[in-house]
Amino acid sequence: MNIVREALAGTQESSDLMVKIAPADGELEIVIHSEVIKQFGEQIRQVVDETLRAMDVRQGLIIVEDKGALDCVIRARLQSAVIRASDSQQIDWSKMS
């Protein structure tokens, strides 16, 4: 998916996260801020990377501000933000897990 505009998904509430996405030329930059980064930073990064790979996102600025969200919440918020930021008219729902 091609990121063409800025988008947000999520909240700053406990057990949730905010995902901010913006276009960026030629590169994919992922920034993760989390209250539980020392304990779960690798798992958060893995879920973000897998989700972006499944959605074929190859460029853009992705900022994740985590407040202790579960993997399924991370995935859902990221998918929502990517769909909002993309120019895709048709969504391949089989890639969403």
Side-chain angles (χ1 to χ4, degrees), residues 6 11 14 27 32 46 68 80 86 88 93 95:
E6 293 182 5
T11 69
S14 180
E27 63 182 54
I32 299 174
Q46 182 179 348
S80 296
S86 76
S88 180
W93 294 106
K95 293 182 180 179

Side-chain angles (χ1 to χ4, degrees), residues 6-87:
E6 293 182 5
L8 296 172
T11 69
Q12 294 286 341
E13 299 295 321
S14 180
S15 300
D16 201 354
L17 75 155
M18 175 76 73
V19 177
K20 300 174 186 176
I21 296 184
D25 290 330
E27 63 182 54
L28 179 61
E29 182 180 353
I30 302 168
V31 179
I32 299 174
H33 302 283
S34 176
E35 295 178 347
V36 293
I37 196 85
K38 289 183 181 181
Q39 295 94 344
F40 301 106
E42 290 181 31
Q43 179 63 23
I44 296 167
R45 171 68 68 171
Q46 182 179 348
V47 171
V48 169
D49 289 344
E50 288 173 358
T51 303
L52 293 174
R53 195 174 320 111
M55 297 182 78
D56 197 30
V57 176
R58 297 183 185 169
Q59 63 183 14
L61 172 61
I62 315 294
I63 300 172
V64 176
E65 296 181 19
D66 175 55
K67 300 290 184 181
L70 297 173
D71 291 358
C72 59
V73 176
I74 297 169
R75 213 172 284 113
R77 296 299 193 196
L78 191 54
Q79 290 170 346
S80 296
V82 168
I83 290 169
R84 291 174 183 168
S86 76
D87 62 352

